[in-house]
Amino acid sequence: MNKVLVTGADGFIGSHLTEALLARGCEVRALAQYNSFNNWGWLEDVKSPQLEVVTGDVRDPNFCRHIVKGVDTVFHLAALIAIPYSYVAPDSYVDTNVKGTLNICQAVRDEGVGRLLVTSTSEVYGTARYVPIDERHPKQPQSPYSASKIGADAIALSFHNAFDTPVTVVRPFNTYGPRQSARAIIPSIITQIASGVRSIKVGDLTPTRDFNFVADTAAGFIALAECDEAVGREVNIATGVETSMADTLQTIARLMGAEVEWAVDPCRLRPAGSEVFRLLGDNSLITSLTPWRPRFSLEQGLGATIEWFSDKENLKKYKAGIYNV
């Protein structure tokens, strides 16, 4: 793995993965979504002579063929990921997540790229029918977002089965850490407390999640990229530890030394049939295939996340009083 492409590199996980790859000495072509401001998102502060930032859109198949030329590995993270926005703009999710993945798969096939890692999500499993959730768990499309990711995963695996394209579907459970969007539960709580709010607006606090610190998620991607046995497979990245939203809020408040109460904001509630009430991942496949192990406990990861969001220069980039779907 010498020269790599990261799509969605301007986003939360993508920017951390880009930094991790640069730290390993890789040449990284990083795709940021095209915009007229020429803004590179979270890549703005990433400096390296090994980094080439390009802007564009995975919805364009010709552009996808252009950006995969000359690389040996593609990490495909570009996607629309906000679940609430998928309720009002589902067509956008099909275009970006399904067709965008198709475009990348076709480009990788056409250019003979050596490895392709396609990013999935634990949301494809829906509410757990059994735990821990392994890769054989049924897929349950409980939101337009999760449906689009199920479709994207199927497209990727079809290219492996039909054309022998060297694809791995990487399925992180709930990733958190510095730079995450404030629509997610952990940064939403932290930014509200750091901004001086004591009545914290939340959604349903009963669901449980398997939280992965972003550095562990990035390390999982790299480990799978270096594992030939992972080709043609779907692989979870999970800690195997389950935490409720309520316990997460209380842990954050304790670590930040804040006495808070919470109030349910109806805007943050999913439709009843769409809420995923339980996620607990089985990581036995990735740990059997690779040396990867989660390094950060939830408290360690939350501590690092709180430290980053509490920096005034970082906090001012967020609108803590506005819930952005």
Side-chain angles (χ1 to χ4, degrees), residues 59 80 89-102 144-145 147-149 152:
R59 292 176 296 180
L80 286 174
D91 197 60
S92 300
Y93 284 70
V94 173
D95 281 348
T96 300
N97 297 351
V98 181
K99 295 180 69 175
T101 298
L102 171 62
Y145 163 65
S148 73
K149 296 298 282 185

PDB file of all heavy atoms in Angstrom, residues 59 80 89-102 144-145 147-149 152:
ATOM      1  N   ARG A  59     -20.664  11.073  -7.630  1.00  0.00           N
ATOM      2  CA  ARG A  59     -21.848  10.823  -8.458  1.00  0.00           C
ATOM      3  C   ARG A  59     -21.532  10.898  -9.951  1.00  0.00           C
ATOM      4  O   ARG A  59     -22.371  10.529 -10.771  1.00  0.00           O
ATOM      5  CB  ARG A  59     -22.957  11.816  -8.103  1.00  0.00           C
ATOM      6  CG  ARG A  59     -23.542  11.610  -6.716  1.00  0.00           C
ATOM      7  CD  ARG A  59     -24.551  12.671  -6.370  1.00  0.00           C
ATOM      8  NE  ARG A  59     -23.933  14.003  -6.308  1.00  0.00           N
ATOM      9  CZ  ARG A  59     -24.602  15.108  -6.019  1.00  0.00           C
ATOM     10  NH1 ARG A  59     -25.903  15.063  -5.770  1.00  0.00           N
ATOM     11  NH2 ARG A  59     -23.980  16.271  -5.969  1.00  0.00           N
ATOM     12  N   LEU A  80     -23.568  10.218   1.987  1.00  0.00           N
ATOM     13  CA  LEU A  80     -24.471  10.971   2.848  1.00  0.00           C
ATOM     14  C   LEU A  80     -24.820  10.073   4.019  1.00  0.00           C
ATOM     15  O   LEU A  80     -25.222   8.920   3.823  1.00  0.00           O
ATOM     16  CB  LEU A  80     -25.740  11.359   2.087  1.00  0.00           C
ATOM     17  CG  LEU A  80     -25.612  12.485   1.066  1.00  0.00           C
ATOM     18  CD1 LEU A  80     -26.923  12.645   0.300  1.00  0.00           C
ATOM     19  CD2 LEU A  80     -25.235  13.792   1.737  1.00  0.00           C
ATOM     20  N   ALA A  89     -34.874  13.601   2.124  1.00  0.00           N
ATOM     21  CA  ALA A  89     -34.161  13.657   0.843  1.00  0.00           C
ATOM     22  C   ALA A  89     -33.629  12.287   0.439  1.00  0.00           C
ATOM     23  O   ALA A  89     -32.449  12.133   0.155  1.00  0.00           O
ATOM     24  CB  ALA A  89     -33.017  14.666   0.931  1.00  0.00           C
ATOM     25  N   PRO A  90     -34.494  11.267   0.395  1.00  0.00           N
ATOM     26  CA  PRO A  90     -34.002   9.910   0.131  1.00  0.00           C
ATOM     27  C   PRO A  90     -33.370   9.735  -1.241  1.00  0.00           C
ATOM     28  O   PRO A  90     -32.446   8.930  -1.403  1.00  0.00           O
ATOM     29  CB  PRO A  90     -35.249   9.031   0.294  1.00  0.00           C
ATOM     30  CG  PRO A  90     -36.406   9.955   0.076  1.00  0.00           C
ATOM     31  CD  PRO A  90     -35.960  11.277   0.622  1.00  0.00           C
ATOM     32  N   ASP A  91     -33.838  10.478  -2.215  1.00  0.00           N
ATOM     33  CA  ASP A  91     -33.281  10.336  -3.552  1.00  0.00           C
ATOM     34  C   ASP A  91     -31.800  10.693  -3.573  1.00  0.00           C
ATOM     35  O   ASP A  91     -31.005  10.070  -4.286  1.00  0.00           O
ATOM     36  CB  ASP A  91     -34.054  11.236  -4.527  1.00  0.00           C
ATOM     37  CG  ASP A  91     -33.820  10.856  -5.975  1.00  0.00           C
ATOM     38  OD1 ASP A  91     -34.126   9.714  -6.348  1.00  0.00           O
ATOM     39  OD2 ASP A  91     -33.322  11.712  -6.734  1.00  0.00           O
ATOM     40  N   SER A  92     -31.428  11.689  -2.779  1.00  0.00           N
ATOM     41  CA  SER A  92     -30.023  12.089  -2.690  1.00  0.00           C
ATOM     42  C   SER A  92     -29.153  10.951  -2.161  1.00  0.00           C
ATOM     43  O   SER A  92     -27.990  10.809  -2.562  1.00  0.00           O
ATOM     44  CB  SER A  92     -29.877  13.302  -1.762  1.00  0.00           C
ATOM     45  OG  SER A  92     -30.616  14.393  -2.243  1.00  0.00           O
ATOM     46  N   TYR A  93     -29.716  10.147  -1.276  1.00  0.00           N
ATOM     47  CA  TYR A  93     -28.965   9.040  -0.683  1.00  0.00           C
ATOM     48  C   TYR A  93     -28.739   7.921  -1.699  1.00  0.00           C
ATOM     49  O   TYR A  93     -27.682   7.302  -1.715  1.00  0.00           O
ATOM     50  CB  TYR A  93     -29.695   8.535   0.566  1.00  0.00           C
ATOM     51  CG  TYR A  93     -29.502   9.472   1.735  1.00  0.00           C
ATOM     52  CD1 TYR A  93     -30.106  10.722   1.746  1.00  0.00           C
ATOM     53  CD2 TYR A  93     -28.681   9.129   2.798  1.00  0.00           C
ATOM     54  CE1 TYR A  93     -29.909  11.605   2.787  1.00  0.00           C
ATOM     55  CE2 TYR A  93     -28.479  10.001   3.858  1.00  0.00           C
ATOM     56  CZ  TYR A  93     -29.090  11.239   3.852  1.00  0.00           C
ATOM     57  OH  TYR A  93     -28.878  12.119   4.886  1.00  0.00           O
ATOM     58  N   VAL A  94     -29.728   7.664  -2.534  1.00  0.00           N
ATOM     59  CA  VAL A  94     -29.549   6.668  -3.588  1.00  0.00           C
ATOM     60  C   VAL A  94     -28.485   7.147  -4.571  1.00  0.00           C
ATOM     61  O   VAL A  94     -27.588   6.388  -4.961  1.00  0.00           O
ATOM     62  CB  VAL A  94     -30.882   6.385  -4.304  1.00  0.00           C
ATOM     63  CG1 VAL A  94     -30.661   5.474  -5.508  1.00  0.00           C
ATOM     64  CG2 VAL A  94     -31.877   5.737  -3.336  1.00  0.00           C
ATOM     65  N   ASP A  95     -28.546   8.415  -4.954  1.00  0.00           N
ATOM     66  CA  ASP A  95     -27.581   8.948  -5.915  1.00  0.00           C
ATOM     67  C   ASP A  95     -26.155   8.878  -5.384  1.00  0.00           C
ATOM     68  O   ASP A  95     -25.237   8.453  -6.087  1.00  0.00           O
ATOM     69  CB  ASP A  95     -27.921  10.405  -6.259  1.00  0.00           C
ATOM     70  CG  ASP A  95     -29.057  10.519  -7.253  1.00  0.00           C
ATOM     71  OD1 ASP A  95     -29.436   9.490  -7.843  1.00  0.00           O
ATOM     72  OD2 ASP A  95     -29.565  11.639  -7.448  1.00  0.00           O
ATOM     73  N   THR A  96     -25.955   9.319  -4.150  1.00  0.00           N
ATOM     74  CA  THR A  96     -24.602   9.383  -3.604  1.00  0.00           C
ATOM     75  C   THR A  96     -24.118   8.029  -3.103  1.00  0.00           C
ATOM     76  O   THR A  96     -23.005   7.601  -3.430  1.00  0.00           O
ATOM     77  CB  THR A  96     -24.537  10.412  -2.458  1.00  0.00           C
ATOM     78  OG1 THR A  96     -24.892  11.699  -2.961  1.00  0.00           O
ATOM     79  CG2 THR A  96     -23.135  10.474  -1.863  1.00  0.00           C
ATOM     80  N   ASN A  97     -24.935   7.355  -2.327  1.00  0.00           N
ATOM     81  CA  ASN A  97     -24.461   6.143  -1.660  1.00  0.00           C
ATOM     82  C   ASN A  97     -24.482   4.912  -2.568  1.00  0.00           C
ATOM     83  O   ASN A  97     -23.521   4.137  -2.565  1.00  0.00           O
ATOM     84  CB  ASN A  97     -25.295   5.885  -0.407  1.00  0.00           C
ATOM     85  CG  ASN A  97     -25.142   7.003   0.622  1.00  0.00           C
ATOM     86  OD1 ASN A  97     -24.299   7.878   0.472  1.00  0.00           O
ATOM     87  ND2 ASN A  97     -25.957   6.979   1.650  1.00  0.00           N
ATOM     88  N   VAL A  98     -25.545   4.737  -3.331  1.00  0.00           N
ATOM     89  CA  VAL A  98     -25.643   3.565  -4.203  1.00  0.00           C
ATOM     90  C   VAL A  98     -24.925   3.816  -5.529  1.00  0.00           C
ATOM     91  O   VAL A  98     -23.986   3.101  -5.895  1.00  0.00           O
ATOM     92  CB  VAL A  98     -27.113   3.162  -4.443  1.00  0.00           C
ATOM     93  CG1 VAL A  98     -27.164   1.920  -5.323  1.00  0.00           C
ATOM     94  CG2 VAL A  98     -27.819   2.890  -3.114  1.00  0.00           C
ATOM     95  N   LYS A  99     -25.353   4.860  -6.228  1.00  0.00           N
ATOM     96  CA  LYS A  99     -24.739   5.128  -7.529  1.00  0.00           C
ATOM     97  C   LYS A  99     -23.291   5.576  -7.384  1.00  0.00           C
ATOM     98  O   LYS A  99     -22.442   5.242  -8.224  1.00  0.00           O
ATOM     99  CB  LYS A  99     -25.572   6.159  -8.294  1.00  0.00           C
ATOM    100  CG  LYS A  99     -26.961   5.647  -8.660  1.00  0.00           C
ATOM    101  CD  LYS A  99     -27.772   6.683  -9.411  1.00  0.00           C
ATOM    102  CE  LYS A  99     -27.224   6.921 -10.799  1.00  0.00           C
ATOM    103  NZ  LYS A  99     -28.100   7.864 -11.565  1.00  0.00           N
ATOM    104  N   GLY A 100     -22.981   6.319  -6.339  1.00  0.00           N
ATOM    105  CA  GLY A 100     -21.592   6.721  -6.110  1.00  0.00           C
ATOM    106  C   GLY A 100     -20.696   5.521  -5.884  1.00  0.00           C
ATOM    107  O   GLY A 100     -19.571   5.454  -6.408  1.00  0.00           O
ATOM    108  N   THR A 101     -21.181   4.548  -5.121  1.00  0.00           N
ATOM    109  CA  THR A 101     -20.411   3.326  -4.893  1.00  0.00           C
ATOM    110  C   THR A 101     -20.267   2.529  -6.183  1.00  0.00           C
ATOM    111  O   THR A 101     -19.189   1.984  -6.481  1.00  0.00           O
ATOM    112  CB  THR A 101     -21.071   2.474  -3.800  1.00  0.00           C
ATOM    113  OG1 THR A 101     -21.086   3.225  -2.572  1.00  0.00           O
ATOM    114  CG2 THR A 101     -20.329   1.166  -3.576  1.00  0.00           C
ATOM    115  N   LEU A 102     -21.337   2.459  -6.965  1.00  0.00           N
ATOM    116  CA  LEU A 102     -21.252   1.803  -8.267  1.00  0.00           C
ATOM    117  C   LEU A 102     -20.177   2.456  -9.137  1.00  0.00           C
ATOM    118  O   LEU A 102     -19.369   1.764  -9.773  1.00  0.00           O
ATOM    119  CB  LEU A 102     -22.606   1.872  -8.974  1.00  0.00           C
ATOM    120  CG  LEU A 102     -22.645   1.422 -10.435  1.00  0.00           C
ATOM    121  CD1 LEU A 102     -22.252  -0.041 -10.571  1.00  0.00           C
ATOM    122  CD2 LEU A 102     -24.026   1.673 -11.037  1.00  0.00           C
ATOM    123  N   PRO A 144     -34.196   5.283   5.152  1.00  0.00           N
ATOM    124  CA  PRO A 144     -33.689   5.385   3.781  1.00  0.00           C
ATOM    125  C   PRO A 144     -32.164   5.367   3.736  1.00  0.00           C
ATOM    126  O   PRO A 144     -31.578   4.821   2.798  1.00  0.00           O
ATOM    127  CB  PRO A 144     -34.261   6.709   3.289  1.00  0.00           C
ATOM    128  CG  PRO A 144     -35.523   6.879   4.073  1.00  0.00           C
ATOM    129  CD  PRO A 144     -35.211   6.331   5.436  1.00  0.00           C
ATOM    130  N   TYR A 145     -31.522   5.955   4.752  1.00  0.00           N
ATOM    131  CA  TYR A 145     -30.058   5.905   4.808  1.00  0.00           C
ATOM    132  C   TYR A 145     -29.562   4.469   4.860  1.00  0.00           C
ATOM    133  O   TYR A 145     -28.716   4.058   4.061  1.00  0.00           O
ATOM    134  CB  TYR A 145     -29.546   6.676   6.029  1.00  0.00           C
ATOM    135  CG  TYR A 145     -28.120   6.344   6.388  1.00  0.00           C
ATOM    136  CD1 TYR A 145     -27.075   6.666   5.526  1.00  0.00           C
ATOM    137  CD2 TYR A 145     -27.810   5.683   7.582  1.00  0.00           C
ATOM    138  CE1 TYR A 145     -25.757   6.353   5.845  1.00  0.00           C
ATOM    139  CE2 TYR A 145     -26.510   5.366   7.905  1.00  0.00           C
ATOM    140  CZ  TYR A 145     -25.485   5.705   7.041  1.00  0.00           C
ATOM    141  OH  TYR A 145     -24.184   5.377   7.357  1.00  0.00           O
ATOM    142  N   ALA A 147     -31.071   1.765   4.067  1.00  0.00           N
ATOM    143  CA  ALA A 147     -31.412   1.067   2.827  1.00  0.00           C
ATOM    144  C   ALA A 147     -30.391   1.374   1.736  1.00  0.00           C
ATOM    145  O   ALA A 147     -29.969   0.485   0.983  1.00  0.00           O
ATOM    146  CB  ALA A 147     -32.810   1.473   2.370  1.00  0.00           C
ATOM    147  N   SER A 148     -29.968   2.639   1.657  1.00  0.00           N
ATOM    148  CA  SER A 148     -28.988   3.006   0.630  1.00  0.00           C
ATOM    149  C   SER A 148     -27.644   2.345   0.890  1.00  0.00           C
ATOM    150  O   SER A 148     -26.932   1.971  -0.052  1.00  0.00           O
ATOM    151  CB  SER A 148     -28.836   4.530   0.565  1.00  0.00           C
ATOM    152  OG  SER A 148     -28.133   5.051   1.671  1.00  0.00           O
ATOM    153  N   LYS A 149     -27.294   2.161   2.148  1.00  0.00           N
ATOM    154  CA  LYS A 149     -26.017   1.505   2.462  1.00  0.00           C
ATOM    155  C   LYS A 149     -26.094  -0.004   2.220  1.00  0.00           C
ATOM    156  O   LYS A 149     -25.107  -0.612   1.798  1.00  0.00           O
ATOM    157  CB  LYS A 149     -25.607   1.815   3.903  1.00  0.00           C
ATOM    158  CG  LYS A 149     -25.319   3.289   4.165  1.00  0.00           C
ATOM    159  CD  LYS A 149     -24.163   3.819   3.330  1.00  0.00           C
ATOM    160  CE  LYS A 149     -22.815   3.403   3.905  1.00  0.00           C
ATOM    161  NZ  LYS A 149     -21.679   4.028   3.166  1.00  0.00           N
ATOM    162  N   ALA A 152     -25.559  -0.188  -1.419  1.00  0.00           N
ATOM    163  CA  ALA A 152     -24.154   0.063  -1.764  1.00  0.00           C
ATOM    164  C   ALA A 152     -23.287  -1.157  -1.454  1.00  0.00           C
ATOM    165  O   ALA A 152     -22.415  -1.533  -2.254  1.00  0.00           O
ATOM    166  CB  ALA A 152     -23.650   1.284  -1.006  1.00  0.00           C
TER     167      ALA A 152
END
